[in-house]
Amino acid sequence: MYKLAICDNCNQFLQNLNKEISIVLKELNWEYEVFIYKNGNIFLQEFQRHKFDLVFLDLEWLGRVGFDITEKLVNWKPYPLIIFCSNNEKLVFDCFKYQPFWFLCKDKYKIALKNIFVTACKKMCRRYSYYNFKNKGEIYSVKISDIQYFDVLNHRIYVHLSQMQSFSFREKIEWIEHEFKEFGFARINSGCVVNLRWIEYLTSKEIILRDGTVFPISRSRKNLVKEQFNLYVGKVI
């Protein structure tokens, strides 16, 4: 069952959004619960208990507090898919730092909701997917979202996980690039493939992961990596 949270102080919008979500999710045959909050602090307290999958945050109401809440959300693992809600499109650029799943214009929420949930379903399926690695007769079953990056050393691929763990096996980096592209991974140089969800930010020369790890981006790949990352960050409605 998926858990959704809506944080907003406008009763009319809360009722309308909740009603429309119910219509869309019944059509999509989702099992779900919706929790409504008018207080950001109460939401944060309950988030730790419910561990929401999707969160709708009203930026115009929360203002700076909305970004503070988001900062805390993305530091919890796994963090939810965040949909920022606003009619102020200028806030889009302030949102990029937090890698929101979507920016929802309130005036167009009915048009966008079905697309949001269809896309969210695909993304959450990937997030909760596991991949089996075989090495010397042993099988490592790893949650794909826990993989931060792959790199190669002495003809071995090293898999680096979010829990500061790693293991290695024999394979080519080209195979890793091809196999994991559909899961949101990008090859950034000759010897490294990174999970885009772990990128804090990128420049024209390097990427920085959330744990502070820095990798150079090869000159020949910088445009492609930027394009892949921008696609991953989300769509602006």
Side-chain angles (χ1 to χ4, degrees), residues 153-180:
L153 180 65
N154 296 328
H155 306 291
R156 295 187 68 83
I157 296 293
Y158 284 79
V159 185
H160 299 268
L161 307 177
S162 59
Q163 301 89 349
M164 303 297 289
Q165 299 174 329
S166 65
F167 61 90
S168 68
F169 62 100
R170 286 198 172 274
E171 191 51 82
K172 293 182 178 180
I173 196 70
E174 289 80 10
W175 181 86
I176 294 293
E177 177 185 11
H178 179 268
E179 185 74 2
F180 284 85

mmCIF file of all heavy atoms in Angstrom, residues 153-180:
data_model
loop_
_atom_site.group_PDB
_atom_site.id
_atom_site.type_symbol
_atom_site.label_atom_id
_atom_site.label_comp_id
_atom_site.label_asym_id
_atom_site.label_seq_id
_atom_site.Cartn_x
_atom_site.Cartn_y
_atom_site.Cartn_z
ATOM 1 N N LEU A 153 38.400 -1.258 -11.275
ATOM 2 C CA LEU A 153 39.794 -1.286 -10.838
ATOM 3 C C LEU A 153 40.349 -2.671 -11.100
ATOM 4 O O LEU A 153 39.775 -3.676 -10.652
ATOM 5 C CB LEU A 153 39.903 -0.938 -9.349
ATOM 6 C CG LEU A 153 41.311 -0.937 -8.749
ATOM 7 C CD1 LEU A 153 42.163 0.164 -9.377
ATOM 8 C CD2 LEU A 153 41.244 -0.765 -7.236
ATOM 9 N N ASN A 154 41.458 -2.722 -11.844
ATOM 10 C CA ASN A 154 42.109 -4.004 -12.159
ATOM 11 C C ASN A 154 41.134 -5.020 -12.764
ATOM 12 O O ASN A 154 41.066 -6.177 -12.360
ATOM 13 C CB ASN A 154 42.759 -4.598 -10.903
ATOM 14 C CG ASN A 154 43.876 -3.721 -10.371
ATOM 15 O OD1 ASN A 154 44.570 -3.045 -11.135
ATOM 16 N ND2 ASN A 154 44.050 -3.710 -9.051
ATOM 17 N N HIS A 155 40.352 -4.530 -13.718
ATOM 18 C CA HIS A 155 39.404 -5.368 -14.468
ATOM 19 C C HIS A 155 38.269 -5.925 -13.608
ATOM 20 O O HIS A 155 37.610 -6.890 -13.991
ATOM 21 C CB HIS A 155 40.134 -6.528 -15.159
ATOM 22 C CG HIS A 155 41.270 -6.092 -16.020
ATOM 23 N ND1 HIS A 155 41.088 -5.391 -17.190
ATOM 24 C CD2 HIS A 155 42.621 -6.225 -15.854
ATOM 25 C CE1 HIS A 155 42.267 -5.130 -17.731
ATOM 26 N NE2 HIS A 155 43.216 -5.620 -16.939
ATOM 27 N N ARG A 156 38.041 -5.331 -12.449
ATOM 28 C CA ARG A 156 36.923 -5.738 -11.604
ATOM 29 C C ARG A 156 35.987 -4.542 -11.396
ATOM 30 O O ARG A 156 36.435 -3.401 -11.268
ATOM 31 C CB ARG A 156 37.388 -6.259 -10.234
ATOM 32 C CG ARG A 156 38.193 -7.542 -10.320
ATOM 33 C CD ARG A 156 38.472 -8.100 -8.929
ATOM 34 N NE ARG A 156 37.265 -8.589 -8.268
ATOM 35 C CZ ARG A 156 36.732 -9.800 -8.468
ATOM 36 N NH1 ARG A 156 37.305 -10.645 -9.321
ATOM 37 N NH2 ARG A 156 35.639 -10.171 -7.812
ATOM 38 N N ILE A 157 34.683 -4.847 -11.384
ATOM 39 C CA ILE A 157 33.684 -3.828 -11.114
ATOM 40 C C ILE A 157 33.405 -3.804 -9.610
ATOM 41 O O ILE A 157 33.102 -4.838 -9.007
ATOM 42 C CB ILE A 157 32.371 -4.114 -11.868
ATOM 43 C CG1 ILE A 157 32.578 -4.043 -13.377
ATOM 44 C CG2 ILE A 157 31.266 -3.137 -11.426
ATOM 45 C CD1 ILE A 157 32.908 -2.671 -13.905
ATOM 46 N N TYR A 158 33.519 -2.618 -9.019
ATOM 47 C CA TYR A 158 33.202 -2.457 -7.600
ATOM 48 C C TYR A 158 31.839 -1.777 -7.465
ATOM 49 O O TYR A 158 31.593 -0.728 -8.091
ATOM 50 C CB TYR A 158 34.286 -1.634 -6.900
ATOM 51 C CG TYR A 158 35.536 -2.429 -6.644
ATOM 52 C CD1 TYR A 158 36.456 -2.660 -7.665
ATOM 53 C CD2 TYR A 158 35.793 -2.989 -5.387
ATOM 54 C CE1 TYR A 158 37.604 -3.413 -7.443
ATOM 55 C CE2 TYR A 158 36.939 -3.745 -5.156
ATOM 56 C CZ TYR A 158 37.841 -3.948 -6.188
ATOM 57 O OH TYR A 158 38.973 -4.705 -5.964
ATOM 58 N N VAL A 159 30.979 -2.385 -6.660
ATOM 59 C CA VAL A 159 29.635 -1.863 -6.414
ATOM 60 C C VAL A 159 29.655 -1.169 -5.057
ATOM 61 O O VAL A 159 29.914 -1.808 -4.029
ATOM 62 C CB VAL A 159 28.582 -2.989 -6.396
ATOM 63 C CG1 VAL A 159 27.173 -2.413 -6.260
ATOM 64 C CG2 VAL A 159 28.707 -3.870 -7.631
ATOM 65 N N HIS A 160 29.389 0.121 -5.044
ATOM 66 C CA HIS A 160 29.430 0.901 -3.808
ATOM 67 C C HIS A 160 28.011 1.217 -3.360
ATOM 68 O O HIS A 160 27.228 1.819 -4.101
ATOM 69 C CB HIS A 160 30.215 2.190 -4.025
ATOM 70 C CG HIS A 160 31.641 1.953 -4.422
ATOM 71 N ND1 HIS A 160 32.668 1.881 -3.503
ATOM 72 C CD2 HIS A 160 32.207 1.733 -5.646
ATOM 73 C CE1 HIS A 160 33.813 1.661 -4.130
ATOM 74 N NE2 HIS A 160 33.555 1.559 -5.435
ATOM 75 N N LEU A 161 27.693 0.829 -2.123
ATOM 76 C CA LEU A 161 26.343 0.957 -1.600
ATOM 77 C C LEU A 161 26.229 2.115 -0.607
ATOM 78 O O LEU A 161 27.236 2.581 -0.067
ATOM 79 C CB LEU A 161 25.914 -0.347 -0.917
ATOM 80 C CG LEU A 161 26.047 -1.620 -1.757
ATOM 81 C CD1 LEU A 161 25.663 -2.837 -0.928
ATOM 82 C CD2 LEU A 161 25.201 -1.536 -3.016
ATOM 83 N N SER A 162 25.002 2.520 -0.352
ATOM 84 C CA SER A 162 24.772 3.663 0.530
ATOM 85 C C SER A 162 25.155 3.386 1.976
ATOM 86 O O SER A 162 25.382 4.305 2.744
ATOM 87 C CB SER A 162 23.299 4.089 0.459
ATOM 88 O OG SER A 162 22.455 3.017 0.839
ATOM 89 N N GLN A 163 25.227 2.106 2.356
ATOM 90 C CA GLN A 163 25.573 1.764 3.734
ATOM 91 C C GLN A 163 27.087 1.657 3.930
ATOM 92 O O GLN A 163 27.555 1.010 4.858
ATOM 93 C CB GLN A 163 24.938 0.416 4.129
ATOM 94 C CG GLN A 163 23.423 0.383 4.016
ATOM 95 C CD GLN A 163 22.949 -0.040 2.631
ATOM 96 O OE1 GLN A 163 23.729 -0.122 1.681
ATOM 97 N NE2 GLN A 163 21.675 -0.303 2.517
ATOM 98 N N MET A 164 27.852 2.325 3.043
ATOM 99 C CA MET A 164 29.312 2.297 3.104
ATOM 100 C C MET A 164 29.863 0.890 2.902
ATOM 101 O O MET A 164 30.926 0.534 3.384
ATOM 102 C CB MET A 164 29.814 2.870 4.446
ATOM 103 C CG MET A 164 29.361 4.278 4.744
ATOM 104 S SD MET A 164 29.998 5.480 3.548
ATOM 105 C CE MET A 164 31.727 5.498 4.000
ATOM 106 N N GLN A 165 29.122 0.077 2.180
ATOM 107 C CA GLN A 165 29.562 -1.283 1.867
ATOM 108 C C GLN A 165 29.919 -1.361 0.388
ATOM 109 O O GLN A 165 29.468 -0.552 -0.423
ATOM 110 C CB GLN A 165 28.457 -2.301 2.191
ATOM 111 C CG GLN A 165 28.053 -2.340 3.653
ATOM 112 C CD GLN A 165 26.856 -3.248 3.885
ATOM 113 O OE1 GLN A 165 26.003 -3.399 3.019
ATOM 114 N NE2 GLN A 165 26.799 -3.854 5.057
ATOM 115 N N SER A 166 30.707 -2.362 0.035
ATOM 116 C CA SER A 166 31.050 -2.566 -1.380
ATOM 117 C C SER A 166 31.442 -4.021 -1.603
ATOM 118 O O SER A 166 31.812 -4.733 -0.662
ATOM 119 C CB SER A 166 32.195 -1.641 -1.798
ATOM 120 O OG SER A 166 33.379 -1.975 -1.111
ATOM 121 N N PHE A 167 31.322 -4.449 -2.837
ATOM 122 C CA PHE A 167 31.811 -5.765 -3.239
ATOM 123 C C PHE A 167 32.191 -5.673 -4.706
ATOM 124 O O PHE A 167 31.889 -4.675 -5.383
ATOM 125 C CB PHE A 167 30.758 -6.859 -2.999
ATOM 126 C CG PHE A 167 29.476 -6.670 -3.769
ATOM 127 C CD1 PHE A 167 29.309 -7.206 -5.038
ATOM 128 C CD2 PHE A 167 28.427 -5.949 -3.224
ATOM 129 C CE1 PHE A 167 28.139 -7.034 -5.753
ATOM 130 C CE2 PHE A 167 27.238 -5.762 -3.919
ATOM 131 C CZ PHE A 167 27.098 -6.307 -5.185
ATOM 132 N N SER A 168 32.865 -6.674 -5.212
ATOM 133 C CA SER A 168 33.348 -6.600 -6.599
ATOM 134 C C SER A 168 33.095 -7.896 -7.342
ATOM 135 O O SER A 168 32.886 -8.957 -6.741
ATOM 136 C CB SER A 168 34.841 -6.272 -6.609
ATOM 137 O OG SER A 168 35.597 -7.351 -6.078
ATOM 138 N N PHE A 169 33.118 -7.799 -8.659
ATOM 139 C CA PHE A 169 32.979 -8.959 -9.525
ATOM 140 C C PHE A 169 33.583 -8.604 -10.878
ATOM 141 O O PHE A 169 33.845 -7.430 -11.170
ATOM 142 C CB PHE A 169 31.509 -9.381 -9.672
ATOM 143 C CG PHE A 169 30.627 -8.342 -10.290
ATOM 144 C CD1 PHE A 169 30.279 -8.399 -11.633
ATOM 145 C CD2 PHE A 169 30.119 -7.292 -9.521
ATOM 146 C CE1 PHE A 169 29.465 -7.434 -12.206
ATOM 147 C CE2 PHE A 169 29.300 -6.325 -10.076
ATOM 148 C CZ PHE A 169 28.969 -6.397 -11.417
ATOM 149 N N ARG A 170 33.819 -9.621 -11.686
ATOM 150 C CA ARG A 170 34.433 -9.390 -12.989
ATOM 151 C C ARG A 170 33.376 -9.077 -14.037
ATOM 152 O O ARG A 170 32.446 -9.845 -14.258
ATOM 153 C CB ARG A 170 35.259 -10.604 -13.434
ATOM 154 C CG ARG A 170 36.564 -10.746 -12.685
ATOM 155 C CD ARG A 170 37.542 -11.665 -13.434
ATOM 156 N NE ARG A 170 38.850 -11.625 -12.784
ATOM 157 C CZ ARG A 170 39.781 -10.727 -13.032
ATOM 158 N NH1 ARG A 170 39.557 -9.793 -13.933
ATOM 159 N NH2 ARG A 170 40.950 -10.763 -12.406
ATOM 160 N N GLU A 171 33.508 -7.938 -14.654
ATOM 161 C CA GLU A 171 32.601 -7.525 -15.726
ATOM 162 C C GLU A 171 33.184 -6.284 -16.373
ATOM 163 O O GLU A 171 34.103 -5.653 -15.846
ATOM 164 C CB GLU A 171 31.208 -7.239 -15.159
ATOM 165 C CG GLU A 171 30.109 -7.043 -16.195
ATOM 166 C CD GLU A 171 30.059 -8.148 -17.226
ATOM 167 O OE1 GLU A 171 29.467 -9.212 -16.939
ATOM 168 O OE2 GLU A 171 30.633 -7.926 -18.316
ATOM 169 N N LYS A 172 32.656 -5.930 -17.521
ATOM 170 C CA LYS A 172 33.101 -4.724 -18.208
ATOM 171 C C LYS A 172 32.200 -3.554 -17.847
ATOM 172 O O LYS A 172 30.991 -3.715 -17.657
ATOM 173 C CB LYS A 172 33.097 -4.938 -19.727
ATOM 174 C CG LYS A 172 34.127 -5.961 -20.206
ATOM 175 C CD LYS A 172 34.091 -6.088 -21.720
ATOM 176 C CE LYS A 172 35.153 -7.071 -22.211
ATOM 177 N NZ LYS A 172 35.133 -7.215 -23.689
ATOM 178 N N ILE A 173 32.793 -2.363 -17.777
ATOM 179 C CA ILE A 173 32.029 -1.174 -17.424
ATOM 180 C C ILE A 173 30.975 -0.859 -18.490
ATOM 181 O O ILE A 173 29.916 -0.303 -18.194
ATOM 182 C CB ILE A 173 32.978 0.043 -17.221
ATOM 183 C CG1 ILE A 173 32.256 1.175 -16.475
ATOM 184 C CG2 ILE A 173 33.540 0.523 -18.548
ATOM 185 C CD1 ILE A 173 31.967 0.892 -15.033
ATOM 186 N N GLU A 174 31.223 -1.264 -19.732
ATOM 187 C CA GLU A 174 30.252 -1.046 -20.809
ATOM 188 C C GLU A 174 28.966 -1.838 -20.543
ATOM 189 O O GLU A 174 27.867 -1.373 -20.855
ATOM 190 C CB GLU A 174 30.843 -1.466 -22.157
ATOM 191 C CG GLU A 174 31.933 -0.558 -22.693
ATOM 192 C CD GLU A 174 33.284 -0.818 -22.042
ATOM 193 O OE1 GLU A 174 33.419 -1.830 -21.310
ATOM 194 O OE2 GLU A 174 34.207 -0.012 -22.266
ATOM 195 N N TRP A 175 29.119 -3.028 -19.965
ATOM 196 C CA TRP A 175 27.943 -3.844 -19.637
ATOM 197 C C TRP A 175 27.140 -3.184 -18.526
ATOM 198 O O TRP A 175 25.899 -3.137 -18.575
ATOM 199 C CB TRP A 175 28.381 -5.244 -19.215
ATOM 200 C CG TRP A 175 27.231 -6.147 -18.882
ATOM 201 C CD1 TRP A 175 26.502 -6.916 -19.737
ATOM 202 C CD2 TRP A 175 26.671 -6.354 -17.581
ATOM 203 N NE1 TRP A 175 25.518 -7.587 -19.061
ATOM 204 C CE2 TRP A 175 25.603 -7.263 -17.728
ATOM 205 C CE3 TRP A 175 26.975 -5.867 -16.310
ATOM 206 C CZ2 TRP A 175 24.831 -7.688 -16.646
ATOM 207 C CZ3 TRP A 175 26.207 -6.287 -15.233
ATOM 208 C CH2 TRP A 175 25.147 -7.190 -15.412
ATOM 209 N N ILE A 176 27.833 -2.664 -17.519
ATOM 210 C CA ILE A 176 27.161 -1.972 -16.423
ATOM 211 C C ILE A 176 26.383 -0.761 -16.956
ATOM 212 O O ILE A 176 25.229 -0.531 -16.600
ATOM 213 C CB ILE A 176 28.188 -1.499 -15.366
ATOM 214 C CG1 ILE A 176 28.849 -2.704 -14.688
ATOM 215 C CG2 ILE A 176 27.530 -0.581 -14.337
ATOM 216 C CD1 ILE A 176 27.923 -3.522 -13.836
ATOM 217 N N GLU A 177 27.028 0.002 -17.823
ATOM 218 C CA GLU A 177 26.390 1.182 -18.402
ATOM 219 C C GLU A 177 25.094 0.815 -19.109
ATOM 220 O O GLU A 177 24.058 1.461 -18.924
ATOM 221 C CB GLU A 177 27.344 1.856 -19.389
ATOM 222 C CG GLU A 177 26.753 3.056 -20.099
ATOM 223 C CD GLU A 177 27.688 3.626 -21.155
ATOM 224 O OE1 GLU A 177 28.701 2.974 -21.482
ATOM 225 O OE2 GLU A 177 27.395 4.729 -21.664
ATOM 226 N N HIS A 178 25.135 -0.229 -19.908
ATOM 227 C CA HIS A 178 23.965 -0.658 -20.668
ATOM 228 C C HIS A 178 22.893 -1.269 -19.764
ATOM 229 O O HIS A 178 21.699 -0.968 -19.886
ATOM 230 C CB HIS A 178 24.386 -1.671 -21.740
ATOM 231 C CG HIS A 178 23.246 -2.195 -22.559
ATOM 232 N ND1 HIS A 178 22.570 -3.355 -22.219
ATOM 233 C CD2 HIS A 178 22.646 -1.709 -23.672
ATOM 234 C CE1 HIS A 178 21.612 -3.564 -23.113
ATOM 235 N NE2 HIS A 178 21.639 -2.588 -23.991
ATOM 236 N N GLU A 179 23.296 -2.099 -18.826
ATOM 237 C CA GLU A 179 22.361 -2.834 -17.982
ATOM 238 C C GLU A 179 21.591 -1.931 -17.022
ATOM 239 O O GLU A 179 20.414 -2.173 -16.738
ATOM 240 C CB GLU A 179 23.129 -3.903 -17.179
ATOM 241 C CG GLU A 179 22.257 -4.818 -16.344
ATOM 242 C CD GLU A 179 21.497 -5.849 -17.163
ATOM 243 O OE1 GLU A 179 21.680 -5.886 -18.408
ATOM 244 O OE2 GLU A 179 20.712 -6.608 -16.569
ATOM 245 N N PHE A 180 22.235 -0.869 -16.550
ATOM 246 C CA PHE A 180 21.623 -0.055 -15.501
ATOM 247 C C PHE A 180 21.104 1.300 -15.991
ATOM 248 O O PHE A 180 20.583 2.089 -15.186
ATOM 249 C CB PHE A 180 22.607 0.144 -14.349
ATOM 250 C CG PHE A 180 22.750 -1.082 -13.488
ATOM 251 C CD1 PHE A 180 23.640 -2.089 -13.827
ATOM 252 C CD2 PHE A 180 21.965 -1.251 -12.360
ATOM 253 C CE1 PHE A 180 23.755 -3.235 -13.060
ATOM 254 C CE2 PHE A 180 22.064 -2.386 -11.580
ATOM 255 C CZ PHE A 180 22.968 -3.384 -11.929
#
